[in-house]
Amino acid sequence: MKSMIRFLAAASLLGLAVPAQADVVIGTVLPLSGVNASGGEDLRRGMELAITEINAKGGVLGEPLRIIYEDSGNNPQRAIDAARKLVSVDKVALVVGEYSSGITIPLGQYLVGEGMPHLNAVSTSGLVRGIGATSFSMVGLDNVSTKFAAEDVLSHGWKKVALLAMNNAFGQGIASNFERQFKEMGGEISTTIIYTSGQTSYRRELQQAEASSPDAYVFTAYGADGGLLMQEAYELGLREEKPWYSVQMTMHDADTPAEFKEGLFGMDVDYTAAGDDTYLKAYEAAYGQSFASAWSGYAHDTILFAAAALNEAGSTDRKAVIDAIKKVGAAGISGATGEIKLDADGQRTWQPYQKLVVKDGKPTRVE
């Protein structure tokens, strides 16, 4: 300590720059523009609340924790370019991202190739499990969510359904897992339609689904895509004819006007751990509204997990951080979404879900 004091005094006398307090920095890649901009912004909100919470308690490694946000624009190559900047220029301790599984997978593969710790906050495709050794998930994958959805759809008495999903890793994973599990439970798929995200109209796909004469329509969609699907289904009269069920409803809820989604059934990841609304109250106080999606809590918890791992590592050295993630994941931490514990593949072992129906323009929990 005396030598440090002598150094600081000498530096001051000589007019040398004294090192300032250095933040501990982590990087994120989110869709802050493009079709998933609403979802990306909601993730950013959750992360900001976590940063405030962590720094109020003293930060990480005795320093403030800071996040650098990079915009993927919902484009895989742009996401990888952003990650490359975070790794090589910003030299962050770890990277969180992205939102869409179709982007999270190549992004994670790039980070694994660099030996960089990667935390997946919200992408649920089963293919995420195979990203690589330095990639870890803070959310349950789609084989678990589609089993929940298939059981819920059958509980309504809808035994023959038309299935619509986007043409990427997430959508294909939802479609294949739902179809397999629904059939195993005694259900029938009248048709499966894999559509291209970002179209200006989905009328052709909707009319194909209608022609299969289902009991109900089951679909999954990103933000603006889901809003357009609901609007055109309404305009074609399909919303009045048969029930509609959304797998992970809040991905598109904020982009769907109330008149097009009233009465929509569905499911999503659970917002908060049962019986604890601390995070909900913090969100409402900060942003003047209830959750914009079900996903901000997972982004919030991902930052809590990252902070715990960095403290466990005792440094930002990549190998130390990866070892610490495994150690923290094995022991588990408690977050807004419940316990986060990881299996041998680095994937979350348990995942809460909720059943929903849109009432008065808002997703409402069905008990």
Side-chain angles (χ1 to χ4, degrees), residues 262-298:
E262 190 68 16
L264 174 66
F265 292 90
M267 55 77 68
D268 215 318
V269 294
D270 206 350
Y271 295 69
T272 59
D276 185 354
D277 61 357
T278 303
Y279 175 63
L280 173 62
K281 288 181 177 177
Y283 187 102
E284 290 175 340
Y287 303 114
Q289 65 174 87
S290 188
F291 297 132
S293 78
W295 301 97
S296 74
Y298 291 82

Side-chain angles (χ1 to χ4, degrees), residues 203 206-207 210 231-239 241:
R203 288 177 178 270
L206 290 168
Q207 288 165 337
E210 180 187 23
Q231 177 181 340
E232 293 187 330
Y234 179 89
E235 292 169 351
L236 289 169
L238 304 187
R239 291 280 289 112
E241 293 177 355

Side-chain angles (χ1 to χ4, degrees), residues 38-209:
S38 297
E41 169 59 18
D42 205 41
L43 299 192
R44 191 195 64 78
R45 288 179 171 185
M47 293 178 179
E48 282 298 295
L49 289 175
I51 285 289
T52 299
E53 184 178 333
I54 292 163
N55 287 336
K57 295 178 180 176
V60 168
L61 302 175
E63 307 289 352
L65 182 63
R66 183 164 62 90
I67 297 178
I68 296 175
Y69 296 98
E70 294 290 340
D71 181 13
S72 71
N74 202 51
N75 179 284
Q77 186 56 54
R78 186 170 165 183
I80 292 173
D81 291 343
R84 185 174 290 113
K85 170 185 173 292
L86 291 169
V87 171
S88 60
V89 178
D90 300 313
K91 301 188 185 306
V92 298
L94 57 85
V95 176
V96 179
E98 202 254 5
Y99 179 84
S100 160
S101 296
I103 298 178
T104 295
I105 292 170
L107 170 74
Q109 290 169 337
Y110 163 74
L111 293 168
V112 169
E114 294 294 318
M116 172 63 71
H118 168 231
L119 299 185
N120 160 40
V122 298
S123 293
T124 62
S125 167
L127 297 175
V128 167
R129 184 177 289 275
I131 289 177
T134 67
S135 180
F136 306 87
S137 292
M138 305 292 109
V139 64
L141 302 184
D142 59 19
N143 60 313
V144 184
S145 66
T146 52
K147 181 175 185 293
F148 182 94
E151 290 172 343
D152 193 24
V153 168
L154 283 171
S155 74
H156 286 282
W158 308 325
K159 296 183 178 179
K160 179 182 177 184
V161 302
L163 182 60
L164 299 97
M166 64 287 267
N167 186 20
N168 62 16
F170 170 74
Q172 291 172 353
I174 289 289
S176 61
N177 279 292
F178 182 90
E179 182 170 345
R180 174 178 57 78
Q181 292 164 325
F182 194 66
K183 287 180 177 177
E184 288 174 354
M185 296 176 193
E188 178 186 351
I189 303 295
S190 63
T191 185
T192 298
I193 295 172
I194 303 296
Y195 63 84
T196 300
S197 176
Q199 294 179 197
T200 56
S201 174
Y202 294 96
R203 288 177 178 270
R204 180 173 60 86
E205 288 83 356
L206 290 168
Q207 288 165 337
Q208 289 175 344

